[in-house]
Amino acid sequence: MIIKSAQFIKGIIGTADVSGDMKKPTFAFVGRSNVGKSSVINSLVNRKDLVRSSSTPGRTQQINYFLINDAFYFADLPGYGYAKIPQKQREKIRKLLAWYLGSTEVKIDAVVLIIDVNIGLKESDFDILELLHGIGRKVILVANKADKSGKNAVHKQISLIKQVVGACELVSYSAKTKQGREELLALMEDLVS
Ligand code: GDP
């Protein structure tokens, strides 16, 4: 798939009605803070800063919709599991994610769950996976930062991750080198065509 255009459409919060106008195929991007979610999205759309990092204050407490190729949406969700933010704020994010990912009203064609391949899955990732499997969402697991370790170490980690997640699409990825980009885009294209 070739990405021709990408633009910010709007940010939504937990009380928004998302059943109305967002009818195009939608990919929801989730991940713990700092796994490289913003970098992955930016690498997919070939832009340096379409999406801002979760370490930047501002647009990060909402779900940001981007229109891609005038055909589908990328929904960028707030990063979770960040120990340094206040408990109240963390709870707000948890509620927002649970509402959005768990609601049958929301059109989501697949959830792109990003992890750091060098770290693997953390408890907060398992919580999200459980929620997603419970509602029957399609999940593509993106194991990012594959450039940071040697090939063998990455293979080992990928096998371990496969063992714990079971049947799920899994892409070894690097936002830095763009390894895995074509594979991920092809998987996404298959889901919407
Ligand atoms: P977010 O909080 O999940 O949106 O993460 P960011 O996209 O802001 O990335 C967090 C940090 O990881 C930044 O310093 C990025 O430069 C770095 N990073 C993201 N993706 C990669 C990658 O594929 N390889 C390497 N080596 N670093 C990455």
Side-chain angles (χ1 to χ4, degrees), residues 12-185:
I12 61 169
I13 53 164
T15 51
D17 175 13
V18 283
S19 58
D21 55 342
M22 314 305 267
K23 291 283 184 218
K24 292 186 169 72
T26 301
F27 295 96
F29 288 77
V30 297
R32 284 187 307 104
S33 293
N34 219 37
V35 293
K37 180 166 55 64
S38 315
S39 305
V40 168
I41 300 175
N42 287 330
S43 72
L44 285 174
V45 299
N46 275 329
R47 294 263 291 271
K48 262 200 175 123
D49 55 4
L50 180 74
V51 178
R52 293 172 204 172
S53 166
S54 54
S55 55
T56 321
R59 276 197 201 163
T60 56
Q61 297 288 301
Q62 54 187 27
I63 296 164
N64 292 309
Y65 268 77
F66 299 89
L67 178 62
I68 312 295
N69 289 357
D70 289 324
F72 53 93
Y73 297 115
F74 281 179
D76 179 27
L77 277 70
Y80 54 82
Y82 190 43
K84 281 184 194 154
I85 68 168
Q87 174 66 26
K88 213 171 151 191
Q89 217 167 312
R90 245 187 298 167
E91 183 55 18
K92 215 170 146 190
I93 290 174
R94 196 195 62 75
K95 276 195 180 145
L96 179 65
L97 294 181
W99 161 73
Y100 181 83
L101 295 171
S103 168
T104 48
E105 300 281 295
V106 183
K107 176 160 177 53
I108 301 175
D109 292 75
V111 175
V112 181
L113 175 61
I114 299 159
I115 60 167
D116 181 332
V117 72
N118 310 286
I119 295 173
L121 288 134
K122 300 291 259 188
E123 203 178 324
S124 49
D125 298 315
F126 284 114
D127 289 346
I128 292 279
L129 273 174
E130 200 177 355
L131 172 82
L132 297 174
H133 286 150
I135 193 174
R137 297 259 190 235
K138 278 184 195 145
V139 177
I140 303 175
L141 198 62
V142 171
N144 190 37
K145 305 197 187 185
D147 60 283
K148 281 179 82 177
S149 302
K151 262 194 183 147
N152 285 344
V154 170
H155 274 301
K156 226 176 177 176
Q157 271 294 84
I158 293 280
S159 315
L160 283 175
I161 293 164
K162 270 190 185 150
Q163 276 173 28
V164 291
V165 293
C168 164
E169 299 286 0
L170 176 60
V171 182
S172 174
Y173 200 93
S174 165
K176 195 174 171 186
T177 66
K178 298 205 175 175
Q179 172 206 322
R181 181 177 180 273
E182 296 307 319
E183 189 188 343
L184 179 55
L185 287 174

